[in-house]
């Protein structure tokens, strides 16, 4: 998941969540870039066994390796 919060249009947050409450968790990282609200951008992720890579405009900006479920 990629999230852009309205109070800071220059930062995007990348998150993955796992488990079911009350036994759940998440990992989040962020990337500070341009004012994302000023023009169109492409956000993507690639999901591999043991890793999720997050991209902004085709450039990898984050990678998570914690508690990655298998690709269905």
């Amino acid at each position: 998941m990629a999230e852009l919060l309205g109070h800071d249009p220059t930062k995007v947050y990348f998150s993955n969540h796992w488990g079911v409450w009350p036994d759940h968790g998440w990992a989040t990282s962020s990337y500070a870039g341009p004012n994302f609200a000023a023009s169109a951008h492409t956000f993507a992720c690639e999901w591999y066994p043991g890793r999720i890579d997050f991209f902004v405009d085709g450039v990898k900006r984050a990678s998570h390796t914690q508690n990655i479920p298998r690709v269905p």
Side-chain angles (χ1 to χ4, degrees):
M1 169 191 335
E3 297 176 287
L4 181 64
L5 305 179
H7 72 277
D8 187 359
T10 64
K11 187 179 282 189
V12 62
Y13 296 88
F14 307 107
S15 301
N16 65 292
H17 301 260
W18 61 87
V20 178
W21 189 89
D23 184 25
H24 68 288
W26 64 91
T28 299
S29 55
S30 63
Y31 165 67
N35 180 347
F36 291 108
S39 62
H41 296 273
T42 301
F43 300 91
C45 69
E46 293 180 355
W47 187 357
Y48 301 98
R51 187 178 87 233
I52 299 176
D53 294 334
F54 297 90
F55 297 83
V56 176
D57 296 328
V59 178
K60 184 165 77 170
R61 299 298 184 180
S63 187
H64 293 180
T65 58
Q66 180 179 2
N67 293 307
I68 306 301
R70 294 183 55 84
V71 177

